[in-house]
Amino acid sequence: MMAHCILLGLAALWLASLVHAQTPLRVLSFPGGANLPLWVAEDKGLFAHEQLAVKVSSTPNSVVLVQSLIKNEEDIAMAAFDNVVAYQEGQGEVQLSTAPDLFAFVGTSRGTIRLVVSPDVRGYGDLRGKTLAVDALATGYSLVLQKLLQLGGLEEGDYRLESVGATATRAQALMENKFAGTILTTPLEIAPESRGYRRLANAVDVLGPYQTIVGIARRSWARDNREALVRFIRASTEAIDWLYDPKNRAEAVQIYRQHLPNVPEDAAQLHVNALLGEREGFTRGGALDFEGMMTVLRIRSEFGLPRKTLTDPARYIDERYLKAARGR
């Protein structure tokens, strides 16, 4: 009887250890409100429910983000889909130490790209001879900026681009009048616009659908950590589903302010509402936007160096993990 009780006790301890065992995941992202799904997944216990211990760190720029993945310093990154394409095609900002095997496994947001300029800039012509800030010259939204300027009648030599870093850094630099304009993503355009800085273009209105933030990992890492990745996707997409439920909006604003305490409540409400738009914002279900990815490829085919014609988004994605997470 005593031995039987001991065995039952050991079995209970073993089961408890399984329940409480958490898989560590290192996630790198740009600072700012676009991390709201990650905050919700953490604060509402969605990561814990999936037995994940997720550590989210901030990157100063896209170069550090990609290099951190390649060096196995991070497991997952949240960044623009264009970064995957650029580095896989040898068109990235820097030469990597090893051949990359990056891919996108989930869509987090679409659209939300704004060209914001100084109050005195009334049109594209006013940007002639001026300097505009970008994260990196060869990747991300820099190419969107170049396309918008081209459509606005400016040629490459009519303006200068300077690498500054993450969107929050560029927004601050713009408001300090260090640059005539920059690309900002929601909600980081709201503060400058409230101070008189002008939105010269909304990218989707000019260029069509655009795939912005995606989840990125190395294919080799994903194969070795399939279950952890599937659980991460499930928790992240459930967080976005939770955010889109109207009854959760007030709590979503509270979570937003817990992570960005310097944002006043009325501003936080504007930020959250902007991130949850029907046309632009977070992506329900984690779907990757085919038309949005095609826009990325068209722009990269035109401005990426060395020149390549890119036509197949499937080269840069793998939706099997997303389908497993969503039960499809």
Side-chain angles (χ1 to χ4, degrees), residues 30-46:
F30 289 90
N35 291 306
L36 183 55
L38 297 177
W39 300 338
V40 167
E42 180 64 33
D43 294 3
K44 297 297 292 181
L46 300 178

Side-chain angles (χ1 to χ4, degrees), residues 24-266:
L25 276 184
R26 303 166 298 176
V27 178
L28 192 60
S29 65
F30 289 90
N35 291 306
L36 183 55
L38 297 177
W39 300 338
V40 167
E42 180 64 33
D43 294 3
K44 297 297 292 181
L46 300 178
F47 285 144
H49 179 73
E50 295 291 343
Q51 298 179 9
L52 296 174
V54 177
K55 178 186 177 183
V56 179
S57 302
S58 295
T59 183
N61 55 59
S62 58
V63 171
V64 170
L65 180 139
V66 171
Q67 289 177 330
S68 297
L69 280 180
I70 296 300
K71 295 176 182 178
N72 196 33
E73 296 172 347
E74 301 287 343
D75 303 316
I76 291 169
M78 312 303 294
F81 174 67
D82 179 78
N83 287 298
V84 179
V85 181
Y87 282 98
Q88 287 303 121
E89 295 294 344
Q91 297 176 331
E93 184 79 354
V94 296
Q95 190 74 28
L96 299 176
S97 57
T98 59
D101 62 341
L102 303 174
F103 78 106
F105 57 81
V106 69
T108 298
S109 71
R110 71 269 192 251
T112 71
I113 303 173
R114 331 297 189 194
L115 171 52
V116 182
V117 296
S118 300
D120 60 332
V121 175
R122 296 295 172 180
Y124 285 97
D126 293 334
L127 293 174
R128 188 169 278 106
K130 301 292 180 62
T131 301
L132 297 95
V134 296
D135 168 35
L137 296 176
T139 61
Y141 308 133
S142 172
L143 275 64
V144 172
L145 175 58
Q146 293 176 61
K147 185 62 179 177
L148 292 174
L149 295 173
Q150 179 197 71
L151 294 174
L154 297 180
E155 298 180 358
E156 186 176 340
D158 291 336
Y159 56 87
R160 295 182 299 277
L161 300 180
E162 183 174 327
S163 297
V164 175
T167 309
T169 303
R170 300 198 308 275
Q172 185 61 39
L174 177 68
M175 290 187 289
E176 293 172 358
N177 297 316
K178 294 179 178 178
F179 300 96
T182 189
I183 291 289
L184 298 179
T185 51
T186 298
L188 289 165
E189 82 279 15
I190 292 176
E193 289 180 356
S194 71
R195 302 181 189 184
Y197 292 81
R198 304 181 60 251
R199 186 184 304 189
L200 195 57
N202 193 41
V204 297
D205 293 337
V206 180
L207 307 175
Y210 192 94
Q211 178 72 70
T212 44
I213 301 174
V214 296
I216 306 170
R218 288 172 291 117
R219 293 183 188 270
S220 53
W221 178 89
R223 285 193 298 268
D224 293 340
N225 297 273
R226 182 184 186 279
E227 289 306 314
L229 180 55
V230 168
R231 299 201 306 269
F232 174 82
I233 296 170
R234 186 157 48 230
S236 301
T237 54
E238 286 177 359
I240 293 178
D241 294 343
W242 183 90
L243 282 166
Y244 271 105
D245 189 331
K247 73 175 184 292
N248 298 326
R249 191 60 57 90
E251 186 178 357
V253 172
Q254 291 177 1
I255 291 174
Y256 191 92
R257 294 196 68 213
Q258 286 170 12
H259 291 266
L260 294 173
N262 292 330
V263 179
E265 184 168 357
D266 56 346

